[in-house]
Amino acid sequence: MKHSCRFSSAALLCFVLFSDSLAYQWPSPQYDTLETLLYEGRRGDGSSLSSLVHPCRKRPESPAVIAAEWLRTAFHDMATHDTSAGTGGLDASIAYELDREENFGAGFNSTLSDYVTFSNKYVSRADIVALGAVFAAATCGGPIVPYQGGRLDAYVAGPPGVPEPQDDISSITARFSGAGFSQSDMITLTACGHTVGGVRSTDFPQLVAPGPNNQLVITPFDPTTQFDHSVVQHYLDGTTQNPLVIDQNKTMTSDLKIFSSDGNATVTGLANGDFASTCGNIFNRMINTVPSSVNLTDTIDLLPAKVSNAQLTIEKNQLVFKTQFRLTQPLNSTISSTRQVTMYWCDRYGSAQNCKGSKHFAPSASKLDEQNLSPVTQALGIGFTTYSFVVPIDSTVSISKFWFTVDSKNGSAVVTQDNGGNGYTLDHDQVFFVPTLSHSDLKQVSLQKRGGITAAANFTRVFQLTAAVRDGSSSPSRVYMDAQDSAQQGFPAPFTSTVDFQKNSSSSVAGYSFYTANIEDAGYYLTFDLHGTIDGATYTQDFVQTAFLDNTPYVAPVQGQVTNSAGRLSGFCLTVGITFVGILFGSLL
C-alpha cells in the first residue's frame, strides 16, 4: 500500500504513520506486544525497558554507558552466524557463551540482567536483544533502526568465533565474511558500534590501566558521549585517543587494523557522508542476521490509534467491559480539554444484536498524557494520550464489538476509529479471566546444594487464578490454561504448564460461574491462554497477563447511553488519514 506525504517537514512522521500499519487488523497480539515495547518502551503492565537506557544513561556509580553495552551484546550474539550453514546469528545464545574469552566483561551480564523480565510468549529473548540495539542507537542521538520481531531463541551456546583485538586482520575479516559482512561492512559496523562506549580496565588492563584500588576506568573511543562520526573523524585527523588505535602494542589495536584495512576508504566515506543513516542500515542488518529457519515479521510501525487491554470481566459483582485507546500527538503538546473521545458498542444477543436499531455509547473514564516513553518516539517527536474506558454490560445482551469517535470540538470533522470499518470485534463472551478475584503470593523455597553450588534461598510465586464461564444449558466439559513464562533467571528454556480449573463454591454473578486454578512459577512474567470447552466448542482468551494482580485500582464503570441511530462504521483508511492531518496541523488539539 503506497501513500504520499505532501510536506517534507513531516516526512519522517509520515513514514511512520502511513505505512503497512494501515493494513493492521486488531487483534494481533504479537504485533501489539512488539509495538508497545518499541514505541512505549515498556511491557503491557507498565514495566519499562527503555527507562533503563534512556536518555543515554550510564550505570549507577559507574562510567559504563548502557547503550554501548547493549550494542556490544547484540553484536556478540549475532557474530556466531554462519551464512553458508544458515545457523547462528541473533538468537540469544550469548546467555550461554559468557565463559569464553571472546565474551569477557561485566557488560554482558549487566545487559542480560536488564533484559531478563521482558520476554514472553510473543517476544523472544532474541527480540529483546535486538530491541536493545534499537534503543541504544536512538537514545544517544543516533539513527532510528527499523525493527522486526519473530526471532527464535537458542538454548545452547553457538560456535565460538567473535573477533578479538589480538586477532590478525585476515582472521577478523574472515570472521565477518562468514557472518555475511564484507570488508566495508566490517569497517562500518565497527565504527558505528564504537561511536559510544570505550575500553574497560577490567576487560583489557593491558590497554587501560585501572584506577586506585583497582577502580574501573573506561577510556572512550571518542571524546563525545553522543552518537556521531567523531570516532572516525578523530581517527583520520590523528587526534584520536582510542586505545584500539593508538596503543603501543600493535597486536591489540583492532580498530586500527580494521579501519586501515582498505586504505581508510570506508572511514573517509563515513566521516564525509551521512554517518547516522549508514549506521542505521548496518545495525538493521546486524539485528536481522538470524538463522535461515527464522521468518521475521514485517517492520513494526507505529499505530496512530491503538486499542489495548480490552477485557470483559467482573468487578464488584458487575459485568464490565474495560479497554484503553491510545492516540498519537506531537511531543510536549497539550491536548485541548474540550476533545471528546467516545466509545460505542453493540449488543451480542437480543433484538439489537450487532447494532440492529440501536447502539450504546459512553465517554472515557480517564485520560493520561504520556510524553516520556521510548527513545524511538522521543526521536520522532511523538507522544501519546491514552483514554481508558470502563462500562457496565448487561449480561443478557452482552457485547459483540466496539469502536471510537474523536471529536476535537474545534470545527473539524469527527474522526471514527473502527478497525478498518469492521469494528473491534470480541470473539466470544463464554470464558474470561477475572483479575479482581485472583491473587499471587511469594513463597521462599530452598535450593539444594548440587554440583558444587552452595544452597541458597530463592522465591517462587504462587498464583490463585479465577476464570468466569457463562452460564448455559450445559456446563463446560473442561476449563484449563496453557501457562508460559520465558522470563526466567539463568535463561533456561521457558516454563510451560497446562493446568485445569475447578468450579468453586461461589454463587453465580451476572450470569457467570467461577472456576479456580493454582499454579507456581519461579519466573518474572507468567502469562497464559485460558480455554473453555463448552458443547464441543473450545473458546480461548489469548495471552492473559498476571502482572496486574493485587495492584490494580478499582475504577467505577461509566454508565452508557443508547442511541437508536445505528449509523455505519466508516472506512479505516479515511479516518486514519484525517487523524494524521489533525496531528500535523493541530486540528485535534
Side-chain angles (χ1 to χ4, degrees):
M1 185 178 294
K2 294 183 178 179
H3 304 274
S4 61
C5 283
R6 300 170 60 187
F7 304 96
S8 59
S9 62
L12 184 57
L13 183 59
C14 180
F15 170 77
V16 173
L17 295 185
F18 278 142
S19 62
D20 289 343
S21 65
L22 287 181
Y24 166 89
Q25 288 288 302
W26 183 89
S28 179
Q30 183 184 32
Y31 195 108
D32 289 337
T33 305
L34 288 166
E35 198 263 9
T36 297
L37 274 169
L38 177 59
Y39 294 106
E40 298 186 23
R42 60 193 182 190
R43 300 187 325 198
D45 68 333
S47 298
S48 177
L49 175 65
S50 65
S51 65
L52 301 177
V53 70
H54 188 70
C56 205
R57 295 184 184 277
K58 293 183 178 180
R59 291 280 174 204
E61 302 178 358
S62 168
V65 178
I66 298 172
E69 294 179 344
W70 288 14
L71 282 171
R72 186 173 184 234
T73 299
F75 169 71
H76 278 242
D77 190 33
M78 178 279 300
T80 61
H81 184 63
D82 184 333
T83 300
S84 61
T87 58
L90 212 155
D91 58 7
S93 65
I94 186 71
Y96 313 104
E97 298 161 0
L98 299 186
D99 57 346
R100 299 172 179 170
E101 289 289 335
E102 64 193 37
N103 295 325
F104 181 76
F108 294 115
N109 286 299
S110 297
T111 297
L112 292 175
S113 294
D114 294 336
Y115 295 163
V116 69
T117 65
F118 290 95
S119 58
N120 57 58
K121 174 184 175 181
Y122 287 113
V123 183
S124 67
R125 292 168 179 161
D127 283 338
I128 299 296
V129 173
L131 183 63
V134 174
F135 283 174
T139 190
C140 294
I144 299 174
V145 181
Y147 179 72
Q148 299 165 263
R151 293 164 191 80
L152 299 179
D153 290 333
Y155 294 101
V156 295
V162 179
E164 296 186 71
Q166 65 270 22
D167 293 341
D168 60 54
I169 190 59
S170 296
S171 299
I172 295 173
T173 304
R175 182 55 243 156
F176 273 90
S177 177
F181 293 86
S182 68
Q183 180 185 40
S184 179
D185 295 334
M186 170 186 71
I187 298 167
T188 300
L189 187 53
T190 302
C192 294
H194 286 179
T195 186
V196 292
V199 180
R200 300 173 184 239
S201 59
T202 51
D203 298 350
F204 297 101
Q206 66 273 51
L207 293 175
V208 177
N213 300 316
N214 207 33
Q215 181 181 2
L216 171 64
V217 174
I218 298 179
T219 299
F221 296 120
D222 71 41
T224 72
T225 58
Q226 290 297 300
F227 197 106
D228 57 31
H229 66 189
S230 293
V231 66
V232 291
Q233 185 180 43
H234 287 275
Y235 163 76
L236 289 170
D237 67 20
T239 62
T240 184
Q241 297 301 305
N242 180 353
L244 297 181
V245 173
I246 66 172
D247 193 79
Q248 296 300 310
N249 180 2
K250 296 306 177 185
T251 302
M252 298 294 292
T253 53
S254 56
D255 280 9
L256 175 62
K257 287 181 279 189
I258 291 171
F259 291 167
S260 63
S261 63
D262 67 351
N264 292 332
T266 299
V267 290
T268 300
L270 289 170
N272 296 325
D274 189 338
F275 184 78
S277 176
T278 303
C279 291
N281 291 334
I282 201 70
F283 284 161
N284 182 243
R285 285 183 55 196
M286 176 181 74
I287 65 174
N288 290 348
T289 297
V290 295
S292 58
S293 58
V294 172
N295 294 313
L296 297 176
T297 68
D298 292 335
T299 299
I300 304 299
D301 295 315
L302 177 66
L303 297 173
K306 181 178 182 178
V307 169
S308 60
N309 299 321
Q311 57 178 318
L312 190 64
T313 191
I314 292 173
E315 296 183 345
K316 293 194 173 182
N317 295 325
Q318 167 72 60
L319 182 66
V320 296
F321 176 70
K322 307 173 67 174
T323 192
Q324 292 178 314
F325 182 58
R326 190 198 74 192
L327 292 172
T328 54
Q329 66 190 57
L331 194 63
N332 299 320
S333 63
T334 301
I335 295 300
S336 172
S337 59
T338 63
R339 178 200 268 182
Q340 181 175 322
V341 180
T342 303
M343 185 179 76
Y344 291 80
W345 71 96
C346 302
D347 294 342
R348 181 177 293 273
Y349 312 112
S351 59
Q353 180 180 7
N354 291 324
C355 290
K356 294 177 182 177
S358 66
K359 58 182 178 286
H360 306 266
F361 65 95
S364 62
S366 64
K367 77 179 182 74
L368 176 65
D369 293 332
E370 300 169 297
Q371 301 283 349
N372 300 305
L373 298 169
S374 91
V376 174
T377 44
Q378 288 274 354
L380 290 170
I382 294 174
F384 300 116
T385 296
T386 299
Y387 296 84
S388 297
F389 294 84
V390 184
V391 297
I393 299 295
D394 179 352
S395 62
T396 63
V397 295
S398 194
I399 176 174
S400 61
K401 61 183 176 182
F402 60 99
W403 67 99
F404 304 89
T405 61
V406 181
D407 186 353
S408 299
K409 300 293 184 180
N410 61 0
S412 60
V414 175
V415 177
T416 299
Q417 301 286 5
D418 55 18
N419 199 33
N422 300 313
Y424 299 94
T425 301
L426 302 175
D427 290 339
H428 64 85
D429 64 347
Q430 297 299 305
V431 57
F432 54 76
F433 181 50
V434 187
T436 57
L437 298 181
S438 306
H439 69 274
S440 65
D441 296 298
L442 282 177
K443 181 177 75 172
Q444 183 171 321
V445 296
S446 178
L447 299 181
Q448 298 298 318
K449 181 177 180 179
R450 59 181 66 176
I453 300 175
T454 303
N458 198 6
F459 292 90
T460 186
R461 192 170 291 276
V462 180
F463 294 87
Q464 185 179 80
L465 306 174
T466 298
V469 178
R470 188 175 178 88
D471 295 332
S473 57
S474 61
S475 297
S477 58
R478 189 184 183 195
V479 180
Y480 63 103
M481 65 175 166
D482 291 318
Q484 192 258 15
D485 191 347
S486 60
Q488 302 276 321
Q489 189 68 39
F491 303 97
F495 164 77
T496 60
S497 181
T498 298
V499 179
D500 281 84
F501 285 71
Q502 304 298 325
K503 188 173 183 179
N504 64 35
S505 58
S506 300
S507 300
S508 177
V509 172
Y512 285 83
S513 297
F514 298 114
Y515 291 71
T516 303
N518 298 310
I519 187 171
E520 293 189 16
D521 173 34
Y524 297 103
Y525 194 19
L526 180 74
T527 66
F528 63 93
D529 299 337
L530 176 64
H531 312 283
T533 302
I534 305 169
D535 294 329
T538 298
Y539 302 91
T540 296
Q541 183 181 8
D542 182 71
F543 196 50
V544 179
Q545 303 181 57
T546 63
F548 296 98
L549 299 186
D550 305 311
N551 59 6
T552 302
Y554 172 74
V555 177
V558 176
Q559 295 297 321
Q561 301 180 53
V562 179
T563 176
N564 291 321
S565 175
R568 185 178 71 87
L569 303 186
S570 59
F572 188 58
C573 289
L574 171 65
T575 55
V576 168
I578 293 173
T579 301
F580 176 69
V581 172
I583 289 170
L584 285 183
F585 299 104
S587 66
L588 294 183
L589 304 184

